Amino acid sequence: LTDPLFLGLPLAGTVEVHTERREFPTFLSRDYGVVASVSKDWKHGLDSTVGYAYEKSDADNVEPRFDMAELAERVSLGSVFTRWALDRRDSRINPTDGSLTEIKFEVADDSLGGTLDFNRITGRTAWLFSLADRGRWVLAIGARAGVIVRRSETDVVPLQHRFFNGGADSVRSFREHELGPQLQGDPAG
């Protein structure tokens, strides 16, 4: 749900409700939550967003051959965030040239309604190059990165909030979510 003139100002107010079920090689993640945000389009493709997110999540069916009980707990996440994006693509629907760069800063804290305390920074960039025939052939190059820093009350970052690499959208020579730290031969994020 989006209001393009939030409070009569040139801001977009958005409320999202989501649910997600994802299968990882070592566990099953279930999340549901709500995000409320306000966005502003600046000039030349720059936009910014600030918001609040609340989410409940759990990790089920954790691989039984190793003990990950402390990583597989049901948690709630209350966080505030800001996101900045620079969109220089020639089209948002079917881009053939340009770039998209985004960075997001998030602070999760128990005072915001959750059980986790951490700072998370994520970023991504994608570059598109039209090779020939007015966009019929497009070369796309992209990268994503992120860092989570635990704070105060959070001893470990639960499985469902860790970063996992591998698969069609990241490092294609590895199976889905199988690149990175391992615990007894299985991905641990």
Side-chain angles (χ1 to χ4, degrees):
L1 178 64
T2 300
D3 179 1
L5 287 173
F6 184 65
L7 301 175
L9 300 170
L11 304 171
T14 302
V15 174
E16 302 172 19
V17 176
H18 68 272
T19 182
E20 182 177 30
R21 179 184 183 274
R22 294 178 63 194
E23 290 185 31
F24 291 84
T26 53
F27 68 98
L28 172 67
S29 172
R30 290 190 184 96
D31 309 320
Y32 59 92
V34 63
V35 178
S37 63
V38 177
S39 300
K40 166 99 172 121
D41 282 331
W42 304 92
K43 294 182 179 181
H44 308 294
L46 180 66
D47 74 80
S48 60
T49 304
V50 295
Y52 170 78
Y54 181 79
E55 174 181 284
K56 287 195 174 248
S57 64
D58 62 58
D60 289 333
N61 300 332
V62 176
E63 188 67 38
R65 63 188 160 148
F66 52 88
D67 182 24
M68 296 182 81
E70 66 178 5
L71 301 178
E73 60 191 61
R74 177 174 289 220
V75 296
S76 57
L77 176 68
S79 66
V80 291
F81 64 89
T82 183
R83 182 190 65 81
W84 290 83
L86 181 60
D87 189 349
R88 297 279 173 95
R89 297 173 297 173
D90 60 351
S91 168
R92 288 186 181 211
I93 297 171
N94 189 22
T96 60
D97 196 52
S99 65
L100 173 64
T101 302
E102 178 180 286
I103 189 164
K104 181 178 178 183
F105 301 95
E106 181 179 15
V107 176
D109 195 274
D110 60 357
S111 67
L112 296 169
T115 56
L116 299 174
D117 294 307
F118 61 74
N119 298 334
R120 178 170 30 202
I121 301 171
T122 54
R124 67 180 180 139
T125 187
W127 295 79
L128 304 158
F129 303 95
S130 182
L131 299 178
D133 200 14
R134 288 188 228 140
R136 184 171 176 195
W137 294 95
V138 177
L139 172 65
I141 300 171
R144 293 180 294 178
V147 175
I148 297 176
V149 179
R150 295 178 286 118
R151 294 185 300 110
S152 64
E153 301 297 317
T154 301
D155 294 328
V156 295
V157 176
L159 284 171
Q160 62 269 33
H161 290 285
R162 292 180 174 207
F163 296 113
F164 288 88
N165 285 319
D169 292 333
S170 64
V171 184
R172 296 181 64 139
S173 59
F174 289 85
R175 290 189 307 200
E176 193 72 26
H177 308 296
E178 294 216 344
L179 174 65
Q182 306 235 335
L183 188 58
Q184 295 183 5
D186 289 310

